[in-house]
Amino acid sequence: VAFNRACILVVVGIIMARLVPASFASYLGAIPGVLGMARIAGVALMTVLWCRRSLTSGQKVWTVIAIAADAAAGSTGAFALFASAGCALAAVSVLALYRRQLAVWLLLFVLPAAIVLNVAKTEARASEPPSAGRVAALTTLSHDALKTLGHPDRSVLAASADRFDYSELLGYIVVHVPRDYPYWNKQSYTELPFVIVPRVLAPFKPRNTLANQFGRLYGTLAPNDFGTSANTPIQVEAWANFGAPGLVGIAVLVGLLLGIAEGWFDARRPDGFVLGVILAYQIIGGIESGMSAFALAIPTVLIFIPVVRWALTSPVPIHDSAAPPGAGSVNQNGWMTGR
């Protein structure tokens, strides 16, 4: 029953996150994205069941197909790699606790692959329009990735690796704000209450172009570039708005949020484990997307608490040998108990 309902979550999530037309989704605010998290919950639950030895061979095959289907459906002319790898990241998050050695080996493969794909993404964006179909996007991205592997350029790969280092961007902002550029107008914070409100209910809701405005204001984008979204990590966003006090404040706030989350979720229980993966995936978005991703984290988890418990209508029996490190033993009802 749990696996079948996890499949339903994956299907609903892929439809909401991948197949809803952008022109229609823009009127629904963050709702399609939040409901699209159902695919993350579904695959996380499938992986938990796999690690707890509760899946048949056929169900394991369907789990792999679900992860591949999400990646394929998320491959568009935008070449948003993080978004397209959502289900894969959910599975890796589960493995990081259940099979730590396997997770390390996977990371040794994933990190170089991410650097190569980041190079390929840049080249693909230059050759394909944002309206490119999924087949064309996948073909172009694969071709450019193979070309990068066949003819590696050290400087290009180094530049791609730097793409994941945001300390340089923070240093840039610290040096130039407020010396050369003014503090930001705090709009990225004042608009947070509207993040999840559908535009159809709030027609006055401003368009989400803050990342582009940030880039043009602070010199990370060309002044006439009105299409690119600059990365706005939470620490960079905080300094640009408030300076050093903002940097300290955001550190305290994020630490408090993570501390609350750790107290909420118990990895020894399937529902707590899946909800923890949802929260982790949502918060990871804050690495590039600022506080908007964090603002959605708590509402998203609250929405999915009854959903995940619906998927787990009966306890999932496991064996001690299948439990994550540090977990408790199995009680008579099949749930984990602390040691």
Side-chain angles (χ1 to χ4, degrees):
V1 174
F3 181 82
N4 293 339
R5 294 187 175 182
C7 291
I8 294 174
L9 291 178
V10 171
V11 172
V12 171
I14 289 177
I15 291 173
M16 296 304 300
R18 310 299 196 200
L19 304 180
V20 175
S23 57
F24 178 68
S26 64
Y27 289 98
L28 299 179
I31 290 178
V34 171
L35 296 182
M37 292 293 291
R39 74 194 197 282
I40 305 299
V43 167
L45 178 54
M46 289 176 174
T47 311
V48 168
L49 295 174
W50 188 331
C51 290
R52 294 188 171 198
R53 301 175 184 174
S54 300
L55 296 187
T56 65
S57 299
Q59 290 171 333
K60 292 177 181 179
V61 171
W62 279 112
T63 300
V64 174
I65 290 175
I67 295 173
D70 177 64
S75 299
T76 65
F79 297 101
L81 298 182
F82 174 78
S84 63
C87 286
L89 291 173
V92 171
S93 298
V94 174
L95 290 174
L97 184 57
Y98 271 95
R99 302 287 185 267
R100 293 179 180 176
Q101 290 184 341
L102 177 60
V104 170
W105 285 107
L106 281 174
L107 286 176
L108 291 177
F109 166 77
V110 169
L111 293 179
I115 294 173
V116 171
L117 287 173
N118 193 52
V119 174
K121 176 187 72 174
T122 303
E123 296 178 355
R125 283 178 173 174
S127 60
E128 291 286 348
S131 59
R134 291 179 174 82
V135 175
L138 276 172
T139 302
T140 302
L141 184 65
S142 300
H143 175 268
D144 290 336
L146 291 174
K147 184 173 67 174
T148 301
L149 285 173
H151 303 86
D153 185 320
R154 183 173 181 177
S155 61
V156 172
L157 292 173
S160 175
D162 287 340
R163 168 73 170 69
F164 300 96
D165 178 14
Y166 294 109
S167 59
E168 183 177 350
L169 180 57
L170 177 61
Y172 171 85
I173 292 296
V174 168
V175 169
H176 292 285
V177 177
R179 188 189 72 182
D180 304 313
Y181 299 106
Y183 285 118
W184 211 6
N185 58 11
K186 303 174 181 61
Q187 189 178 358
S188 60
Y189 295 107
T190 58
E191 292 184 2
L192 286 179
F194 297 102
V195 168
I196 200 170
V197 179
R199 192 176 304 279
V200 68
L201 299 179
F204 55 86
K205 179 180 176 180
R207 295 286 177 180
N208 186 17
T209 59
L210 293 177
N212 177 264
Q213 295 175 30
F214 175 89
R216 289 187 289 109
L217 176 62
Y218 293 110
T220 60
L221 295 176
N224 60 347
D225 184 351
F226 292 91
T228 305
S229 295
N231 292 330
T232 54
I234 53 173
Q235 67 273 22
V236 172
E237 180 186 39
W239 185 283
N241 279 286
F242 301 104
L247 195 61
V248 174
I250 203 65
V252 173
L253 178 62
V254 172
L256 179 63
L257 178 61
L258 294 176
I260 292 174
E262 184 180 9
W264 276 1
F265 305 124
D266 186 352
R268 296 170 300 185
R269 297 174 58 94
D271 55 346
F273 204 124
V274 174
L275 291 170
V277 171
I278 293 174
L279 182 68
Y281 180 83
Q282 187 67 45
I283 288 178
I284 288 173
I287 295 175
E288 291 189 350
S289 304
M291 278 303 296
S292 60
F294 282 79
L296 285 173
I298 299 300
T300 299
V301 171
L302 292 177
I303 289 171
F304 275 94
I305 287 176
V307 174
V308 172
R309 290 180 177 171
W310 163 79
L312 289 165
T313 53
S314 60
V316 179
I318 63 174
H319 306 285
D320 282 339
S321 59
S329 58
V330 185
N331 66 18
Q332 61 182 358
N333 296 319
W335 291 106
M336 294 296 297
T337 59
R339 287 189 174 131

